[in-house]
Amino acid sequence: LNMILIGIIGPIYSGKKTIANFLKEKLKFEVLSINEYENKPKKLIQYVIKDLKKNYVIYGIDNDTLSALKEFRRRPFFLLLAVDAELNVRYQRRKYSGETSDEFNDFMKKNDENWGKIYEIMYMADFTIMNSSSKDDLYKCLKGLKLKSKDILRPDYDTYFMYLAELVASRTNCIKRKVGCVLVKDSRVIATGYNGTARGLKNCNDGNCKECSQGESGGKSSTCLCLHAEENALLEVGRENKGCILYCNT
């Protein structure tokens, strides 16, 4: 899969159109508008998947078209890019555009009333850009994101397995720290482990390990009951699986 569909979301005068123009001029993205497809996201999806070697960008997402994001976000080729700027900066941009004579307090009130839902969606974005300075700084930031990289949608194996190690660490029962380990062979996960007391014993976070409860060990003392994440993973995999790669988040 080579195609990328980027949706740009943000409040008024945050820089959505500027980003879309950058993607069009510098990275050869085709710019699309939700409104051109009569607010029918599936129709837009049908258009972009006709050519999986092109890249597309959508801007103009507002409160009336937020529902379309549900259709886009379930697609593996979609990225949501949020852009924001300080309220005063956006007010000055609008003021200099000549579109309004609103005072700052009026602009702030309208912003709160009309863009609350936008901000809720922005928290779910894959990338967030603050665009409160110059256009050159914005372009530099966009170049740094490497939005045409093949790994941006689908992480390489090392990144993928390290993400898994972080997830495994969330299962720890040791009160000292969170550690996760993943053992991989031929690009397949064959065992996982997290730090904590051995199977069959009362958990460390239930007060079973006196060393950790006293703020001491965390697997470093001979009297500590907690096993390392690596130990637990190796105990699960057994001797017969040689030549594994171990991923650990510490």
Side-chain angles (χ1 to χ4, degrees), residues 124-176:
M124 299 188 295
D126 299 286
F127 300 98
T128 301
I129 295 175
M130 284 301 295
N131 178 31
S132 293
S133 53
S134 68
K135 185 181 292 186
D136 289 340
D137 288 337
L138 174 62
Y139 286 176
K140 184 178 179 180
C141 181
L142 290 168
K143 290 176 182 178
L145 291 179
K146 299 180 180 179
L147 293 172
K148 292 187 73 174
S149 169
K150 65 179 181 180
D151 294 331
I152 200 167
L153 289 172
R154 199 167 183 235
D156 59 32
Y157 274 125
D158 286 339
T159 303
Y160 171 61
F161 292 129
M162 284 304 299
Y163 277 140
L164 290 181
E166 289 284 354
L167 179 61
V168 171
S170 67
R171 284 285 303 165
T172 184
N173 66 65
C174 178
I175 63 174
K176 291 295 292 184

Side-chain angles (χ1 to χ4, degrees), residues 222-241:
S222 60
T223 59
C224 179
L225 296 179
C226 290
L227 297 176
H228 291 288
E230 300 93 325
E231 290 177 304
N232 278 322
L234 290 168
L235 287 170
E236 289 293 325
V237 76
R239 290 176 175 268
E240 65 276 8
N241 282 298

Side-chain angles (χ1 to χ4, degrees), residues 73-216:
R73 288 187 65 82
R74 66 171 62 123
R75 304 289 177 152
F77 48 77
F78 180 74
L79 288 175
L80 185 61
L81 191 156
V83 58
D84 199 1
E86 294 176 2
L87 190 63
N88 184 58
V89 172
R90 293 192 288 109
Y91 171 70
Q92 294 299 328
R93 289 172 183 168
R94 183 163 185 172
K95 185 177 179 181
Y96 291 144
S97 72
E99 288 190 15
T100 181
S101 58
D102 288 346
E103 294 297 327
F104 178 74
N105 288 340
D106 294 329
F107 176 77
M108 181 172 62
K109 183 178 180 180
K110 289 179 180 179
N111 181 82
D112 293 341
E113 291 175 349
N114 299 327
W115 299 94
K117 292 182 180 179
I118 292 290
Y119 279 111
E120 291 178 11
I121 303 298
M122 288 172 64
Y123 284 114
M124 299 188 295
D126 299 286
F127 300 98
T128 301
I129 295 175
M130 284 301 295
N131 178 31
S132 293
S133 53
S134 68
K135 185 181 292 186
D136 289 340
D137 288 337
L138 174 62
Y139 286 176
K140 184 178 179 180
C141 181
L142 290 168
K143 290 176 182 178
L145 291 179
K146 299 180 180 179
L147 293 172
K148 292 187 73 174
S149 169
K150 65 179 181 180
D151 294 331
I152 200 167
L153 289 172
R154 199 167 183 235
D156 59 32
Y157 274 125
D158 286 339
T159 303
Y160 171 61
F161 292 129
M162 284 304 299
Y163 277 140
L164 290 181
E166 289 284 354
L167 179 61
V168 171
S170 67
R171 284 285 303 165
T172 184
N173 66 65
C174 178
I175 63 174
K176 291 295 292 184
R177 64 190 307 187
K178 295 194 296 185
V179 184
C181 175
V182 176
L183 286 174
V184 175
K185 187 174 184 180
D186 298 326
S187 300
R188 293 179 180 273
V189 176
I190 58 173
T192 63
Y194 50 85
N195 59 325
T197 50
R199 181 178 295 182
L201 295 181
K202 186 179 177 181
N203 287 342
C204 174
N205 56 9
D206 288 327
N208 191 32
C209 182
K210 303 303 181 184
E211 292 275 356
C212 291
S213 297
Q214 294 171 5
E216 296 296 329

